[in-house]
Amino acid sequence: NAGVTQTPKFRILKIGQSMTLQCTQDMNHNYMYWYRQDPGMGLKLIYYSVGAGITDKGEVPNGYNVSRSTTEDFPLRLELAAPSQTSVYFCASRGPNEKLFFGSGTQLSVL
Amino acid sequence: AQSVTQLGSHVSVSEGALVLLRCNYSSSVPPYLFWYVQYPNQGLQLLLKYTTGATLVKGINGFEAEFKKSETSFHLTKPSAHMSDAAEYFCAVSENTGGFKTIFGAGTRLFVKA
């Protein structure tokens, strides 16, 4: 199994541009999450989903949007990129034993 | 709402010494507690977890943690540090409600000196 796959691995955006971070999992997990990681801040929850068609805000949702049209895919969209969104983004899914499976991350710079 | 506090952003130990990483949590319901480890340029990997039952839990690579409800703590220990243990460690709490959101602490970077 591939697990949780994130693309792209790296991206540089200009202020005001938009982009979508892709996340897909092949483990048939219902629960999926997006986190951002900043130095010294740990991981902050941006959005989460409990199943196809159901999403909800986490700790730091401003400036982001998500959708969940299928169990496998949970893309994260940045509409108007800002320097404050420079971060490493991790997608995760939750297995039946409460364990989170993480993707390898997307390093995003907004200049 | 649940929260996690990790005491000490950096911890340095000598190889062979005891490792102790501290974690306190806040939760309105019985929590699920986790320790994750992150090696450079990688995602997070689960070290160990507490859900119910025995309060002393053992994980991979010789790590263990004890859930102490009265102290709202879940400290991570390893009797003898190895150079390969150098990494960042995250304590996390999850509640069995509302999407099973997992909230992470700020992390503790462990340095191991030869």
Side-chain angles (χ1 to χ4, degrees):
Chain A
N1 285 343
V4 178
T5 302
Q6 289 183 240
T7 56
K9 291 190 181 301
F10 303 94
R11 183 73 184 268
I12 298 174
L13 284 181
K14 294 182 179 179
I15 294 172
Q17 286 185 318
S18 63
M19 77 163 292
T20 299
L21 282 68
Q22 301 292 345
C23 175
T24 187
Q25 52 95 6
D26 62 359
M27 298 172 283
N28 202 34
H29 291 164
N30 286 322
Y31 296 90
M32 295 187 73
Y33 309 86
W34 273 105
Y35 289 91
R36 60 176 288 171
Q37 182 178 22
D38 301 296
M41 302 294 289
L43 279 76
K44 296 296 185 183
L45 181 63
I46 304 171
Y47 270 95
Y48 67 99
S49 170
V50 301
I54 307 171
T55 63
D56 206 348
K57 297 177 180 179
E59 302 170 276
V60 289
N62 292 344
Y64 306 94
N65 279 300
V66 293
S67 59
R68 186 92 182 272
S69 57
T70 67
T71 299
E72 294 77 21
D73 300 308
F74 189 40
L76 176 72
R77 185 152 180 88
L78 286 68
E79 291 293 350
L80 290 170
S84 61
Q85 293 177 306
T86 293
S87 188
V88 181
Y89 292 85
F90 287 101
C91 178
S93 67
R94 185 185 183 103
N97 57 355
E98 293 82 41
K99 173 183 175 181
L100 288 179
F101 294 80
F102 283 87
S104 57
T106 295
Q107 189 167 327
L108 176 66
S109 295
V110 182
L111 305 175
Chain B
Q2 66 260 46
S3 66
V4 176
T5 301
Q6 291 185 239
L7 301 177
S9 58
H10 297 83
V11 171
S12 182
V13 300
S14 298
E15 192 172 23
L18 171 71
V19 175
L20 171 61
L21 304 183
R22 300 177 187 273
C23 172
N24 289 89
Y25 71 91
S26 172
S27 177
S28 57
V29 299
Y32 295 161
L33 296 163
F34 308 84
W35 277 98
Y36 284 84
V37 61
Q38 185 181 35
Y39 298 100
N41 301 314
Q42 294 187 25
L44 278 70
Q45 304 171 36
L46 181 66
L47 268 181
L48 50 78
K49 64 177 181 177
Y50 168 80
T51 53
T52 59
T55 57
L56 181 64
V57 293
K58 296 184 184 299
I60 61 173
N61 300 336
F63 284 94
E64 62 182 36
E66 186 171 10
F67 169 55
K68 293 187 176 181
K69 184 178 178 180
S70 62
E71 299 176 8
T72 61
S73 69
F74 191 58
H75 302 331
L76 181 71
T77 60
K78 181 175 180 177
S80 177
H82 191 274
M83 296 296 287
S84 61
D85 294 328
E88 188 150 24
Y89 293 80
F90 294 93
C91 182
V93 63
S94 176
E95 294 180 348
N96 189 15
T97 60
F100 293 92
K101 292 174 289 184
T102 301
I103 303 301
F104 287 83
T108 297
R109 183 164 294 279
L110 177 66
F111 297 92
V112 183
K113 300 174 291 185

